């Protein structure tokens, strides 16, 4: 009896022989990876600082201030926590608000680094979502950065010709 042959030859199944292409050269990808790595750690650190600030504000009613005058004693205020309501420091810089603003803008730049890496690697859209979540879920940016850094290095090593565009 004759054995039936599969409709698709072995080794030519979908995706097996598909040539991997990147959206840029290896130097561009490594540059984007380094930019992403720096921003992942900075954004993750600022997010942890933001979480600590929010706990201080909503659990203990304290803001982080620098400079100004103590509202109760009238003495100069250096750096530290003061009451939010009633206001514990007159004048000075509210560092709690500064942390909010800096993290917000840093997250925007982090998203730009995510998009740059995602387009150069030509990954599926779901990976961009996972990368973006790294800046809003505490500690996630550190784990996601490590995972995707290793993945980029592995893909570059496995497909050395895929990054050569010219």
């Amino acid at each position: 009896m004759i054995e039936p042959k599969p409709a698709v030859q072995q080794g030519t199944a979908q995706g097996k022989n598909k040539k991997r292409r990147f959206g840029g050269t290896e130097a561009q990808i490594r540059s984007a990876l380094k930019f992403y790595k720096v921003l992942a750690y900075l954004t993750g650190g600022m997010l942890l600082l933001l979480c600590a600030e929010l706990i201080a504000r909503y659990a203990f009613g304290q803001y982080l201030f620098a400079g100004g005058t103590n509202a109760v004693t009238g003495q100069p205020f250096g750096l530290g926590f003061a009451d939010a309501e009633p206001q514990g420091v007159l004048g000075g810089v509210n560092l709690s608000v500064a942390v909010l603003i800096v993290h917000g803008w840093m997250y925007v730049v982090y998203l730009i680094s995510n998009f740059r890496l995602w387009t150069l690697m030509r990954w599926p859209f779901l990976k961009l979502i996972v990368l973006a979540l790294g800046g809003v879920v505490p500690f996630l940016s550190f784990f996601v950065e490590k995972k995707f850094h290793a993945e980029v290095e592995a893909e570059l090593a496995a497909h050395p010709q895929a990054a050569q565009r010219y």
Side-chain angles (χ1 to χ4, degrees), residues 1 9 19-20 26 31 33 39 55 57-58 60 67 69 76 97 107 125 137 140 157 160 164:
M1 179 172 242
Q9 296 284 333
K19 191 172 183 180
R20 175 71 163 107
E26 184 175 350
S31 172
L33 185 62
L39 279 163
I55 290 169
R57 178 186 299 184
Y58 293 115
F60 303 107
T69 306
V97 173
Y107 182 66
F125 185 70
V137 178
L140 187 61
Q164 296 179 359

Side-chain angles (χ1 to χ4, degrees), residues 8 75-76 78 122 125 129 143 159 161:
V8 178
Q75 298 294 321
R122 295 186 176 173
F125 185 70
I129 299 300
F143 297 112
H159 307 282
Q161 297 299 319

Side-chain angles (χ1 to χ4, degrees), residues 88-132:
V89 175
L90 302 174
V93 177
N94 187 344
L95 294 179
S96 295
V97 173
V99 168
L100 294 169
I101 293 169
V102 169
H103 171 70
W105 281 106
M106 193 172 288
Y107 182 66
V108 171
V109 178
Y110 173 73
L111 287 177
I112 292 169
S113 75
N114 291 343
F115 184 76
R116 183 173 176 223
L117 183 63
W118 175 73
T119 42
L120 288 174
M121 292 303 295
R122 295 186 176 173
W123 281 331
F125 185 70
L126 185 61
K127 286 193 179 187
L128 179 63
I129 299 300
V130 172
L131 285 167

Side-chain angles (χ1 to χ4, degrees), residues 44-104:
M46 284 302 295
L47 181 59
L48 294 177
L49 188 59
L50 175 65
C51 289
E53 185 274 324
L54 290 175
I55 290 169
R57 178 186 299 184
Y58 293 115
F60 303 107
Q62 301 283 305
Y63 284 118
L64 183 61
F65 277 96
T69 306
N70 190 320
V72 177
T73 64
Q75 298 294 321
F77 189 85
L79 173 69
F81 288 98
D83 289 334
E85 294 295 329
Q87 191 172 3
V89 175
L90 302 174
V93 177
N94 187 344
L95 294 179
S96 295
V97 173
V99 168
L100 294 169
I101 293 169
V102 169
H103 171 70

